[in-house]
Amino acid sequence: MLQQTWTSRCLMKFYAVVAASPTSWESHKIAERIEQRILNSNPVMEAFGNARTLRNNNSSRFGKFIQLQLNRAQQMTGAAVQTYLLEKTRVACQASSERNFHIFYQICKGASEDERLQWHLPKGAAFSWLPNPERTLEEDCFEVTREAMLHLGIDTPTQNNIFKVRKKAMPLTFGRDNG
């Protein structure tokens, strides 16, 4: 678990304990559900927002702001998570020994042959936006990302739309015209 994830979890637990009424088991359960939902977002955020850089295999290229929502009795009733990419240019350009965002490698390594065809990612193709594909990292776990997306309410058809490569947007480098 990343340090920032661990810190977020500790702070949420602390606030849930301090803010929850001693007689309200329901408040405690609501706070736990909110905490779990926020933590379930981490594999998705890491897949779409982290990349291998010169200094770190799992470098966060995004920022995250978590706002805990309280009722008048100061009990946690919800949370809002806002994220933003710090490095949008990474999609189009990386240093020679760096990699793009983890999600691209997860898809190429973890999708079934049928999914790859459906998403316009033929096996064995080389993609200009996918440098250093031979490097395998522990972050290349597509099933963990897909499961986290399901827990967040992103169903399989929606996931398929997210993973589908638009033919014009992502040119292949092996010389064929795919557009």
Side-chain angles (χ1 to χ4, degrees), residues 83-148:
T83 58
Y84 47 92
L85 279 180
L86 300 172
E87 193 179 50
K88 294 176 186 173
T89 59
R90 176 162 297 278
V91 174
C93 181
Q94 304 82 35
S96 62
S97 62
E98 293 187 338
R99 292 190 350 162
N100 208 328
F101 293 107
H102 294 322
I103 189 63
F104 297 123
Y105 300 90
Q106 289 181 2
I107 291 170
C108 287
K109 292 176 182 183
S112 71
E113 197 162 328
D114 287 342
E115 289 171 331
R116 287 181 64 106
L117 289 174
Q118 177 187 353
W119 301 337
H120 308 295
L121 297 165
K123 193 139 185 100
F127 300 95
S128 59
W129 44 268
L130 199 67
N132 303 308
E134 70 285 350
R135 284 197 140 121
T136 299
L137 301 174
E138 70 177 69
E139 291 79 20
D140 292 343
C141 190
F142 192 45
E143 281 308 310
V144 171
T145 300
R146 294 199 75 174
E147 190 66 29

Side-chain angles (χ1 to χ4, degrees), residues 4 8 37-38 41-42 45 60-69 78-86:
Q4 67 189 32
S8 297
R37 187 125 173 145
I38 292 169
S41 72
N42 283 322
M45 292 309 307
S60 178
R61 313 315 308 152
F62 70 95
K64 179 165 63 171
F65 175 74
I66 301 172
Q67 179 183 38
L68 300 178
Q69 298 164 345
V81 179
Q82 294 178 352
T83 58
Y84 47 92
L85 279 180
L86 300 172

